[in-house]
Amino acid sequence: MITVSAPGKLMLMGEHAVVFGEPCIVTAVDQRLYVTAQKTDDGKITVNAPQAKETKFVDASIAKFFSLKAPDIDDRGVSLSIRSDFTSQVGFGSSSAVSVATLMALGLIFEISMTQREIFDLAYQVTLDIQGVGSGFDIAAATFGGTLFFKKGGEVIEPLPNEIPLVVGYTGVKADTPTLVRMVIAKQKKYPEKIDRIFEAIGKLVLQGKEALLAKDWEKLGKLMSFDQEYLRDLGVSSEKLEALILSAKEAGAWGAKLSGAGGGDCMIALASDEKRKAVEDAITVAGGQVMRVTTHATGVRLETTDNQKELFIVVDKDDNIIGYKTRYECHHDKTLIHRGVGLLIFDKDGRVLLQKRSFSKDTNPGFWADSVGGHVVTGESYEEAIQREMKEELRIAPLVVFHSKFILSCLRETEMNVLFTAVCDGPFHPDSTEISQVAFFSKNELPRKLLSGEVQLTEFAQEALKRVGFL
Ligand code: MEV
């Protein structure tokens, strides 16, 4: 089982004009949508999304994934659960976030590698299939995260630095993006000269906005955003409520303010200094808006780890004397912190060794094959107690274990004082699916072949353990 999350977005400048080829600036926000995926044996695809009214973007992303990326996979049983920090009402881009997160989750559990660009392209196709219109800026934010200078269809996707001091006000009104985009398209057809001039002017503002953002010249960026709003008003996509919130924010001292997205409702944004933030937030509230506290420049689509990063590990010196306690996160980001770990190799009566394939949500070596059982020694535990606990948690077994050896191993991100145990056991094994995606027995002849063909990739701990017992 794995969980992937993708961020929401806010359009900083350039909406509508971006649909006609002008650039825009978008930032990803730390309100995330989560897709948890698990393979099933029943061949069925199930989607559970209690917060959503419909699942057409998930369904279309699944169909797109299997038709374009995994046409040869027959065993398509998968269950997907979706939850979100934000509702589809606020205009943070739940459709794009769910498409992007679904595609990445499917790629991981069916082991089809996809670059971020491939995920972007597939999710953009999903949007066009369903909505018929759209620039794809929201998909770029969900995929790549950060703040982006963007052109339609991903012709340009340029990361920009900086968190942006934004205040966000929600109007309480849900906007219908495709309808608004079509309305603007119709206007452009009717009055091409006038509307094209507006788009061109917005495009120029965006270019200046990019420079202001790079220079962290917030006052200038604020002014440019307010100019952009005037053009959006001319396009007819603003609303009374949006105008009221924008005006209040400006009167309360914001550097600038505008609608964000298609218009008609959803959110407005204001740029404000730390000193003015509270006054701007209060003004938005008094004007009938709901302040949404978000952090901009959020990380793009990512795999969420299921490992508790705050769990305390035992830190030792080279002679295994306890010198302190540090969190999993600290131990896995500092190779000088030697911490206690355990490993177990299980053999069946024919002498084959059992290995486990680590789940993709592990914080170290996701997808690699490891010792039959492994883990860390937590505060208050002995090595023996740790391996007994890990055996129960990971495989629900309790065979007799024998001490084999103790060694220090330093690998990419961590250094462990590892005690290796062995046991003989034919199962049955009940792997915990949050930790393990698969277990299998390998014979002494078979394993080297599978390593050579690349079918099996071993963790460094498993390589060391297998060498120690003479299996490699
Ligand atoms: C909608 O949030 C932004 C628009 O520019 C549409 C799009 O770019 O897809 C109006």
Side-chain angles (χ1 to χ4, degrees):
M1 185 169 70
I2 56 148
T3 298
V4 168
S5 77
K9 55 76 191 164
L10 280 168
M11 179 72 101
L12 208 64
M13 292 181 78
E15 46 272 90
H16 289 290
V18 67
V19 178
F20 290 80
E22 296 293 341
C24 74
I25 302 173
V26 57
T27 189
V29 294
D30 65 339
Q31 299 276 304
R32 303 187 78 84
L33 182 142
Y34 301 83
V35 173
T36 299
Q38 183 157 26
K39 266 194 190 172
T40 56
D41 297 331
D42 57 8
K44 286 193 196 136
I45 299 175
T46 53
V47 177
N48 171 24
Q51 288 167 278
K53 283 200 206 92
E54 53 183 14
T55 58
K56 61 184 179 188
F57 282 88
V58 186
D59 302 339
S61 301
I62 297 169
K64 191 67 77 189
F65 172 79
F66 282 119
S67 68
L68 295 186
K69 283 280 146 196
D72 301 331
I73 292 183
D74 298 324
D75 198 359
R76 298 183 173 186
V78 61
S79 110
L80 297 174
S81 300
I82 292 142
R83 73 188 162 83
S84 179
D85 293 336
F86 59 94
T87 73
S88 60
Q89 303 297 305
V90 292
F92 279 178
S94 53
S95 317
S96 40
V98 83
S99 304
V100 166
T102 299
L103 287 163
M104 176 164 169
L106 292 176
L108 286 171
I109 60 165
F110 288 100
E111 298 187 30
I112 304 284
S113 72
M114 282 187 286
T115 61
Q116 281 185 315
R117 179 70 209 203
E118 284 174 301
I119 293 176
F120 169 83
D121 288 337
L122 288 180
Y124 186 45
Q125 284 177 36
V126 168
T127 300
L128 291 183
D129 290 349
I130 293 178
Q131 291 185 347
V133 286
S135 66
F137 81 104
D138 41 1
I139 295 160
T143 309
F144 300 97
T147 302
L148 304 170
F149 178 76
F150 176 87
K151 276 192 164 186
K152 190 178 180 182
E155 186 194 323
V156 177
I157 304 177
E158 193 183 317
L160 297 172
N162 299 343
E163 262 189 34
I164 304 153
L166 278 191
V167 178
V168 182
Y170 174 49
T171 56
V173 180
K174 168 82 194 119
D176 179 359
T177 300
T179 305
L180 283 153
V181 173
R182 285 202 182 88
M183 184 194 90
V184 173
I185 292 175
K187 268 193 186 164
Q188 191 273 347
K189 281 212 178 97
K190 203 161 172 198
Y191 311 106
E193 262 178 44
K194 179 176 176 229
I195 304 294
D196 284 347
R197 239 183 289 127
I198 294 180
F199 290 152
E200 219 176 285
I202 292 178
K204 284 197 181 121
L205 289 179
V206 171
L207 288 175
Q208 288 172 271
K210 178 183 167 189
E211 294 312 316
L213 197 137
L214 286 169
K216 287 196 184 184
D217 187 344
W218 305 127
E219 194 175 339
K220 179 149 184 218
L221 184 61
K223 275 202 186 107
L224 294 164
M225 283 167 54
S226 295
F227 286 144
D228 191 357
Q229 173 62 22
E230 286 175 26
Y231 288 119
L232 291 166
R233 199 180 302 133
D234 290 349
L235 284 178
V237 294
S238 196
S239 71
E240 258 181 51
K241 188 79 184 271
L242 279 165
E243 290 298 331
L245 304 191
I246 290 166
L247 185 66
S248 321
K250 284 178 23 182
E251 281 177 355
W255 283 308
K258 63 182 277 293
L259 65 85
S260 174
D266 287 349
C267 288
M268 51 72 66
I269 50 175
L271 208 60
S273 63
D274 283 352
E275 299 75 53
K276 290 279 160 61
R277 168 171 287 273
K278 170 88 176 56
V280 172
E281 285 182 352
D282 290 349
I284 289 172
T285 310
V286 170
Q290 184 191 329
V291 171
M292 316 267 303
R293 292 223 167 76
V294 298
T295 305
T296 62
H297 211 69
T299 316
V301 68
R302 69 175 181 218
L303 180 67
E304 298 287 324
T305 175
T306 49
D307 291 315
N308 176 3
Q309 299 298 314
K310 294 191 180 131
E311 197 173 14
L312 280 186
F313 291 167
I314 301 172
V315 179
V316 293
D317 64 15
K318 286 197 169 59
D319 299 317
D320 203 16
N321 299 306
I322 297 177
I323 53 171
Y325 302 92
K326 292 277 179 190
T327 63
R328 172 189 287 270
Y329 184 88
E330 288 166 314
C331 290
H332 286 171
H333 289 82
D334 182 349
K335 284 173 72 168
T336 65
L337 296 176
I338 307 173
H339 54 285
R340 285 183 175 170
V342 284
L344 169 71
L345 290 179
I346 295 174
F347 297 90
D348 68 3
K349 55 181 174 328
D350 299 323
R352 297 180 308 161
V353 69
L354 184 84
L355 297 178
Q356 62 159 277
K357 188 169 185 188
R358 289 165 69 79
S359 117
F360 283 95
S361 56
K362 296 302 291 174
D363 59 349
T364 53
N365 297 311
F368 277 67
W369 288 85
D371 296 3
S372 325
V373 172
H376 293 93
V377 184
V378 296
T379 45
E381 253 183 352
S382 65
Y383 285 108
E384 287 72 19
E385 284 163 344
I387 199 64
Q388 295 293 345
R389 176 181 51 75
E390 291 288 352
M391 287 194 305
K392 282 192 202 119
E393 283 175 9
E394 293 191 350
L395 299 177
R396 282 208 266 140
I397 50 164
L400 188 70
V401 300
V402 179
F403 172 88
H404 183 278
S405 52
K406 189 192 271 189
F407 59 93
I408 294 184
L409 188 72
S410 190
C411 52
L412 194 65
R413 285 168 58 185
E414 60 173 327
T415 306
E416 257 189 38
M417 178 70 71
N418 195 284
V419 168
L420 176 64
F421 296 90
T422 59
V424 176
C425 179
D426 286 322
F429 305 107
H430 302 281
D432 170 4
S433 66
T434 55
E435 302 251 341
I436 300 168
S437 66
Q438 188 186 342
V439 290
F441 275 112
F442 295 89
S443 73
K444 217 170 176 172
N445 289 337
E446 185 184 18
L447 188 60
R449 264 190 281 119
K450 298 212 165 183
L451 291 175
L452 215 62
S453 69
E455 195 185 320
V456 167
Q457 275 183 294
L458 290 175
T459 64
E460 288 178 72
F461 284 99
Q463 287 175 35
E464 176 65 25
L466 289 163
K467 273 184 204 148
R468 284 176 170 264
V469 296
F471 214 83
L472 281 184

